[in-house]
Amino acid sequence: MDYSVAAVKMYVTHLKPAKPAKELTSNGGSAFAIGSLIFQRVWLQGVLVQESENTSLSLQDGTGVLPLQIGQEALKPGMYVLVVGAYLLGADGSPFLLVHKIVDLSSNPDRDTFWRLEVAEIHKLFYDKLMNASTH
């Protein structure tokens, strides 16, 4: 994992077309690609959900749900959190996020509005051109 590369700010729906990148990152780790945007880590924000008592937590951001792999922390469904982690595929090919950082933002009443504006701006300025570019 190349921690010197920033995590891309995304919505869960943005990650649907992600495919394993053909090239490896500078440290030899695997990466993913959406168009010509190559990444290893993502930054997401949303509400923690648990589909059943036996399952781990997932992140629901209003555009989709992504399972999380996190340690045993004092986290509860319903919390609004910021998560940063490695975007990976499980043995069955389904994506999940191996969480490196999680922050409870539940006490900030404007958290979701600001996040949506921030993601929209960064996509308009940077990511959209890369995500819509073809990789050859």
Side-chain angles (χ1 to χ4, degrees), residues 4-135:
S4 67
V5 177
V8 292
K9 295 180 178 181
M10 297 277 182
Y11 296 137
V12 172
T13 194
H14 290 140
L15 298 169
K16 289 184 184 202
K19 302 281 186 234
K22 293 177 185 172
E23 59 275 348
L24 298 177
T25 60
S26 60
N27 68 347
S30 61
F32 287 84
I34 303 172
S36 62
L37 175 65
I38 308 294
F39 64 94
Q40 286 184 300
R41 298 184 315 137
V42 296
W43 175 336
L44 303 166
Q45 288 185 199
V47 177
L48 292 176
V49 295
Q50 190 171 26
E51 295 180 25
S52 73
E53 290 183 30
N54 298 338
T55 62
S56 61
L57 294 172
S58 295
L59 184 83
Q60 209 291 19
D61 71 353
T63 70
V65 178
L66 184 66
L68 303 176
Q69 184 177 340
I70 52 179
Q72 297 297 329
E73 301 178 29
L75 302 171
K76 295 181 269 183
M79 294 173 71
Y80 186 92
V81 295
L82 166 162
V83 292
V84 176
Y87 184 74
L88 301 168
L89 296 178
D92 64 355
S94 60
F96 69 95
L97 191 70
L98 175 59
V99 177
H100 300 152
K101 177 180 182 175
I102 189 162
V103 178
D104 181 6
L105 300 176
S106 299
S107 63
N108 182 343
D110 298 322
R111 65 205 179 247
D112 193 56
T113 301
F114 287 132
W115 174 246
R116 294 194 181 284
L117 292 170
E118 191 174 336
V119 172
E121 180 180 40
I122 200 162
H123 276 260
K124 181 179 178 185
L125 293 175
F126 302 108
Y127 299 162
D128 285 348
K129 292 174 188 156
L130 295 171
M131 290 170 65
N132 294 322
S134 63
T135 55

